[in-house]
């Protein structure tokens, strides 16, 4: 639906229009910064889990126990 009489072109140079535009852009930047901060936190947690898993002693896998010429029988 279009409203023929609602033309904002004449308002583009008014202070209120600029303030509204800056407010929208500021909100958008802050929103994306929050998303980035959340992603950074998730990556840090994943790296900590990876580091913990890499340092834990685990029993050797079956394929590591094979002698030369042996197979797992698949």
């Amino acid at each position: 639906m279009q409203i023929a009489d609602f033309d904002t072109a004449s308002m583009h140079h008014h202070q209120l229009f600029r303030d509204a535009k800056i407010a929208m852009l500021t909100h958008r930047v802050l929103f994306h910064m929050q998303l980035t901060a959340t992603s950074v936190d998730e990556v840090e947690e994943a790296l900590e889990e990876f580091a913990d898993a890499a340092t834990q002693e685990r029993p050797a896998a079956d394929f590591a126990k094979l002698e030369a010429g042996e197979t797992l029988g698949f």
Side-chain angles (χ1 to χ4, degrees):
M1 180 173 138
Q2 293 183 345
I3 301 172
D5 294 340
F6 192 69
D7 183 20
T8 60
S10 63
M11 299 176 65
H12 283 233
H13 300 290
H14 290 272
Q15 185 64 37
L16 181 62
F17 185 84
R18 285 191 298 261
D19 290 345
K21 196 80 161 162
I22 289 172
M24 288 187 294
L25 291 173
T26 302
H27 173 74
R28 217 166 151 190
V29 167
L30 292 174
F31 176 75
H32 285 285
M33 287 176 68
Q34 181 62 38
L35 285 179
T36 302
T38 302
S39 297
V40 167
D41 291 341
E42 291 174 3
V43 168
E44 286 177 346
E45 289 174 13
L47 285 173
E48 288 174 3
E49 290 177 17
F50 179 75
D52 290 342
T55 58
Q56 290 179 354
E57 291 187 29
R58 294 184 180 177
D62 291 336
F63 62 86
K65 298 177 187 174
L66 296 177
E67 297 294 327
E70 287 184 306
T71 65
L72 289 173
F74 291 118

